[in-house]
Amino acid sequence: MSDPLVLIPARLAATRLPEKPLADIAGAPMIVHVWRRAIEAGIGPVVVCTDTAAIVQAVEAAGGLAVMTRPDHPSGSDRLAEALEVIDPEGRHDVVVNVQGDLPTIDPAAIAASVVPLADPAVDIATLCAVITRPEERTEPSVVKLVGSEVAPGRLRALYFTRATAPYGDGPLLHHIGLYAYRRRALARFIALPPSPLELREKLEQLRALEAGMRIDAVVVDDVPLGVDTPHDLERARAILAARRLN
């Protein structure tokens, strides 16, 4: 497995928190914090891919790399694929890690952990999950649950992803974290597939890969990173990062 390439898709348009990639957190735009966490993971080059010149400028001002992509991509995965051909047309990197641009507090160790399952040649895509500890999240549809079978300590083969409470019965439930590490050929196959019936029903893109017979393995990490989608989330992220600076 060659050095992974970490890509961070970021769009300026957002209904609940307009221009959120550029929102200030502790003196820097949110997208810069995500870029810093990805750099700290130390697994390979990091590039932000966006459709907005202001995001490129913010990342470059912090010393990072960013590329412009088309504004009409239906998903972040399609944006990654375009950026990949711009950044690495020779195919030097055979693993692509997709870190969402709204995770400014993510643990760099979690990003690094995401590529571990790809050491197994049978795995097409790797992702992350964490045990649900808050009772209300067990039934919350916005919390996506991963149903999987353990293949090694702290690692599962994903059998299904759902917004429902699953699996039934006693035992832990797993909160899926939407960070993915793709084999390059798996990403190319994935974006060429049409949306699948279960994907459309659950509104979960990763089900397209499972329905096509692709294997997704997940690493269990300690906690779920804060995704910033609302002004309240933004204030929480500011408080978390301010506390880290004081410690």
Side-chain angles (χ1 to χ4, degrees):
M1 189 169 66
S2 66
D3 289 341
L5 177 64
V6 182
L7 299 183
I8 306 173
R11 295 175 63 246
L12 203 59
T15 55
R16 289 185 289 179
L17 186 60
E19 300 190 359
K20 71 177 182 178
L22 298 178
D24 182 85
I25 302 176
M30 178 164 65
I31 189 63
V32 170
H33 285 282
V34 180
W35 169 78
R36 287 172 177 165
R37 303 295 89 74
I39 289 288
E40 289 163 5
I43 58 174
V46 179
V47 183
V48 173
C49 40
T50 182
D51 59 0
T52 305
I55 294 176
V56 172
Q57 293 164 4
V59 173
E60 290 180 343
L65 297 175
V67 296
M68 290 288 290
T69 54
R70 299 198 327 263
D72 58 346
H73 286 300
S75 72
S77 302
D78 294 278
R79 192 175 307 282
L80 293 189
E82 181 193 352
L84 187 58
E85 293 309 312
V86 173
I87 298 161
D88 183 29
E90 300 86 3
R92 295 187 304 270
H93 301 278
D94 64 0
V95 170
V96 184
V97 181
N98 177 3
V99 178
Q100 296 302 318
D102 59 1
L103 302 175
T105 68
I106 190 168
D107 183 354
I111 299 174
S114 70
V115 301
V116 172
L118 295 181
D120 181 344
V123 177
D124 298 297
I125 303 169
T127 189
L128 303 173
C129 63
V131 174
I132 292 176
T133 57
R134 297 168 62 185
E136 64 272 20
E137 292 188 350
R138 296 174 69 89
T139 56
E140 175 54 58
S142 65
V143 175
V144 178
K145 289 81 176 177
L146 183 151
V147 180
S149 179
E150 188 175 71
V151 293
R155 179 177 147 199
L156 306 121
R157 178 172 181 173
L159 304 177
Y160 194 61
F161 298 88
T162 182
R163 298 183 183 278
T165 302
Y168 176 78
D170 294 334
L173 297 182
L174 296 171
H175 184 155
H176 176 235
I177 300 167
L179 185 155
Y180 298 94
Y182 298 88
R183 294 193 191 281
R184 188 166 181 155
R185 64 178 182 273
L187 176 61
R189 180 186 174 196
F190 176 77
I191 64 170
L193 292 168
S196 68
L198 288 173
E199 172 190 0
L200 295 173
R201 182 168 177 171
E202 293 259 21
K203 295 181 173 58
L204 296 174
E205 190 180 57
Q206 61 271 38
L207 290 173
R208 186 190 319 175
L210 288 186
E211 287 192 81
M214 301 174 75
R215 177 169 168 177
I216 304 177
D217 276 20
V219 174
V220 182
V221 296
D222 292 335
D223 54 26
V224 178
L226 171 63
V228 177
D229 290 315
T230 66
H232 175 67
D233 296 334
L234 180 59
E235 290 307 314
R236 286 181 62 198
R238 286 170 172 161
I240 291 169
L241 289 176
R244 288 182 184 174
R245 292 178 69 178
L246 293 173
N247 293 334

